[in-house]
Amino acid sequence: STPSLTDTMVQQLQQTLAGALGQPVNMLRRARGKTNAGTRYVAQSAADGYTLLFADNPTITVFPVLNPNPSIDTLRDLVPVAMFARMPIALIAVSDRPQERLLDVIERAQRLPGSINYASAGDASTSHLTGELFRAMSGAQIVHVDYNGSLPAINAVLTRQVELGFVPLPAVLPHLGGGKIRIIAMASSERHPAARDVPTIAEAGVAGFDASGWFGMFAPAGTPG
């Protein structure tokens, strides 16, 4: 099966660390329960610097809030080690309406509330929260449909299960060459070098809009600096 975006980044980090340290670095994948299993495993590990957590922003800041009985406190039980990557979010659609701008989509969604669905990479993911922020700030009454990862979300747009998608830009780029998908706008406050011709959502008409994700490394609290 095609590796997820997170798996690809972890593999890159694994190779980089192994080269820098001169010894193997093992990757242990524990993704059950919105990554809670892996987060809990690291938080409860010995604070000796040998066990680290690779996590995105929802894992640290969002998922714990949604759990009514969290077994750990991510802000107390983990310490940040390093930022690994920022995650730009793209608003995508099929290429059938190449002349349709973001304001046209917003106008249609306001005129026909509930008629436009958008895909995200999962409930409470960065792409989902970006979509809900867009809905709130633009007044576009679009409906969220969550998928298990960015690739299924992109496929949902490709196969016309949904009209729009808020998905990580790196996952979209390989699909642009075929001409079936286009990026309507970028969610970050500045244009991205990989999509210089694509306006930001703020530029396209939703003033002040700015959303993106991040990935970072964390260690058990008490790990020596």
Side-chain angles (χ1 to χ4, degrees), residues 114-130:
S115 63
I116 298 176
N117 293 340
Y118 79 90
S120 83
D123 190 31
S125 65
T126 299
S127 57
H128 174 206
L129 297 180
T130 300

Side-chain angles (χ1 to χ4, degrees), residues 67-84:
N67 187 342
N69 298 298
S71 57
I72 62 168
D73 182 335
T74 53
L75 301 183
R76 178 198 66 202
D77 300 333
L78 296 168
V79 291
V81 175
M83 175 78 74
F84 181 74

Side-chain angles (χ1 to χ4, degrees), residues 100 104-116 139-141:
E100 188 172 57
D104 297 324
V105 174
I106 293 173
E107 186 278 330
R108 189 156 50 89
Q110 291 174 336
R111 180 166 43 87
L112 301 168
S115 63
I116 298 176
Q141 296 304 307

Side-chain angles (χ1 to χ4, degrees), residues 18-222:
L21 297 173
Q23 64 184 54
V25 175
N26 297 320
M27 179 179 69
L28 183 61
R29 198 175 194 280
R30 291 175 178 245
R32 298 190 307 278
K34 292 190 179 297
T35 72
N36 287 333
T39 306
R40 184 170 58 251
Y41 177 83
V42 174
Q44 296 174 347
S45 295
D48 55 13
Y50 284 91
T51 303
L52 300 173
L53 173 70
F54 183 86
D56 59 6
N57 48 303
T59 298
I60 302 300
T61 62
V62 179
F63 297 159
V65 178
L66 299 178
N67 187 342
N69 298 298
S71 57
I72 62 168
D73 182 335
T74 53
L75 301 183
R76 178 198 66 202
D77 300 333
L78 296 168
V79 291
V81 175
M83 175 78 74
F84 181 74
R86 293 195 177 275
M87 183 56 61
I89 301 296
L91 172 57
I92 64 171
V94 291
S95 302
D96 289 359
R97 298 188 177 103
Q99 303 305 317
E100 188 172 57
R101 302 167 301 166
L102 182 67
L103 287 180
D104 297 324
V105 174
I106 293 173
E107 186 278 330
R108 189 156 50 89
Q110 291 174 336
R111 180 166 43 87
L112 301 168
S115 63
I116 298 176
N117 293 340
Y118 79 90
S120 83
D123 190 31
S125 65
T126 299
S127 57
H128 174 206
L129 297 180
T130 300
E132 290 305 294
L133 180 64
F134 174 76
R135 189 168 67 86
M137 292 183 65
S138 68
Q141 296 304 307
I142 55 179
V143 179
H144 175 232
V145 182
D146 67 286
Y147 290 84
N148 186 24
S150 55
L151 297 181
I154 293 169
N155 186 62
V157 176
L158 274 170
T159 56
R160 303 172 188 275
Q161 298 175 45
V162 295
E163 182 172 338
L164 304 175
F166 283 93
V167 291
L169 176 63
V172 177
L173 292 177
H175 297 272
L176 296 180
K180 295 181 179 180
I181 279 185
R182 70 185 181 100
I183 303 176
I184 298 176
M186 293 298 302
S188 47
S189 60
E190 298 180 356
R191 295 195 183 198
H192 195 276
R196 292 188 183 278
D197 295 335
V198 178
T200 67
I201 290 176
E203 287 178 323
V206 185
F209 194 94
D210 182 14
S212 61
W214 50 257
F215 289 88
M217 297 294 297
F218 296 82

